[in-house]
Amino acid sequence: MAGNVGEDGLYENVSEYVRDLIRREGAGRPRRFPRRAAAAARMSRYQLSPAAKGQIAEIYAYTHATWGRAQADRY
């Protein structure tokens, strides 16, 4: 793990490395929550309100300023 994290590694920090491991592990498995997937598909039809968009922009700006653009883009 230490070789994968830091200036010479593929990941900036340990949490980024762990998240990628979790994603990779889940990618090979069948989806366990088909109802959640269906609910997410229904929700994708809705538009965010201007207030919600503003809050998301604030969160992005804070994350960008605190942890950098790469981290902000992930969230």
Side-chain angles (χ1 to χ4, degrees):
M1 177 175 81
N4 291 325
V5 178
E7 290 181 25
D8 298 329
L10 298 171
Y11 305 95
E12 291 180 26
N13 54 50
V14 174
S15 65
E16 184 181 326
Y17 176 70
V18 171
R19 274 195 295 274
D20 188 46
L21 288 175
I22 292 168
R23 278 189 215 109
R24 288 173 190 241
E25 180 182 303
R29 294 182 180 172
R31 199 156 183 135
R32 292 175 38 196
F33 304 104
R35 287 188 205 152
R36 260 192 220 166
R42 285 191 304 274
M43 292 299 293
S44 68
R45 290 181 274 180
Y46 296 100
Q47 297 292 321
L48 291 175
S49 70
K53 287 180 183 179
Q55 290 173 342
I56 291 171
E58 278 184 48
I59 292 167
Y60 180 87
Y62 173 80
T63 304
H64 184 274
T66 307
W67 293 292
R69 180 177 178 213
Q71 192 72 15
D73 287 346
R74 273 186 215 93
Y75 293 111

